[in-house]
């Protein structure tokens, strides 16, 4: 599997990643054995990048990935999760306290001390311009809760605004 450096993270990941929304069973039942078989098949095929979010099955997807991390500790996986959709999409909710709570929950679901990558999950446009948001994200990195952060965006304008911030390691453009 070909690898590339993931944004500004410095991490090498497979060019093909696995999006794990379906493992949350938000679109229909996905049994535990099928979810785990999917994850293991992806790793067996050379996938080293898995994308999820705290809201995919209310953490169910993250928990399956956490099991994979325990089952395959030497697989060299990088897991990106997303946060910001657990509350109404109100810029006032994008606070350091909520970020800590959301990332702590994801750390527990995944069974890790430090999240490889956390991305804001298509937040309201005003969030991209808020200095306090990036200060809070920088604090998560400084505290060791996350190794890197980025954004998942819906528009090129949002991506360009985020890229201008020095701490933003990745930009994921929504495609679904």
């Amino acid at each position: 599997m070909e690898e590339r450096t993931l944004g500004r993270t410095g991490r090498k990941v497979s060019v093909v990643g696995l999006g794990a929304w379906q493992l949350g069973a938000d679109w229909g039942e996905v049994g535990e054995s099928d979810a785990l078989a999917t994850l293991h098949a992806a790793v067996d095929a050379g996938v080293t990048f898995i994308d999820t979010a705290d809201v995919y099955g209310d953490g169910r997807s993250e928990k399956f990935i956490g099991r994979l991390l325990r089952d395959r500790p030497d697989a060299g996986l990088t897991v990106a999760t997303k946060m910001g959709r657990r509350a109404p999409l109100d810029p006032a909710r994008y606070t350091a306290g909520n970020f800590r709570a959301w990332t702590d929950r994801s750390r527990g679901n995944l069974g890790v001390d430090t999240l490889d990558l956390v991305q804001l999950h298509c937040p309201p446009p005003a969030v991209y311009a808020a200095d306090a948001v990036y200060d809070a994200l920088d604090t998560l990195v400084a505290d060791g809760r996350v190794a890197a952060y980025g954004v998942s965006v819906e528009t090129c304008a949002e991506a360009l605004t985020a890229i201008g911030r020095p701490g933003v390691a990745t930009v994921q453009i929504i495609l679904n």
Side-chain angles (χ1 to χ4, degrees):
M1 176 78 70
E2 184 181 339
E3 292 185 325
R4 292 193 186 130
T5 301
L6 177 62
R8 297 175 185 159
T9 67
R11 292 174 176 262
K12 292 281 193 186
V13 298
S14 55
V15 296
V16 175
L18 176 67
W21 189 356
Q22 74 281 6
L23 303 183
D26 294 316
W27 293 339
E29 184 55 37
V30 176
E32 179 178 347
S33 62
D34 289 336
L36 293 170
T38 298
L39 290 166
H40 283 281
V43 171
D44 292 343
V47 169
T48 61
F49 180 72
I50 300 174
D51 174 80
T52 190
D54 60 355
V55 294
Y56 296 172
D58 193 29
R60 185 175 192 260
S61 175
E62 288 179 331
K63 289 175 184 173
F64 285 137
I65 295 165
R67 183 151 164 207
L68 175 73
L69 293 171
R70 289 187 300 281
D71 290 349
R72 307 283 291 265
D74 298 327
L77 297 174
T78 294
V79 177
T81 194
K82 293 183 285 299
M83 67 175 179
R85 295 265 169 156
R86 298 196 62 72
L89 294 178
D90 174 356
R93 304 246 185 202
Y94 289 77
T95 65
N98 280 340
F99 289 175
R100 278 191 303 277
W102 296 334
T103 56
D104 286 351
R105 184 175 188 270
S106 290
R107 290 169 48 219
N109 286 343
L110 290 163
V112 298
D113 293 328
T114 302
L115 298 174
D116 297 331
L117 174 65
V118 68
Q119 299 178 110
L120 296 178
H121 199 169
C122 299
V127 170
Y128 296 104
D131 290 340
V133 166
Y134 297 98
D135 291 344
L137 292 166
D138 288 336
T139 299
L140 292 176
V141 173
D143 290 348
R145 283 182 160 86
V146 304
Y149 65 84
V151 296
S152 178
V153 301
E154 294 181 346
T155 70
C156 289
E158 292 167 348
L160 291 171
T161 299
I163 288 169
R165 297 292 182 145
V168 172
T170 61
V171 172
Q172 177 186 50
I173 297 180
I174 191 169
L175 179 65
N176 61 24

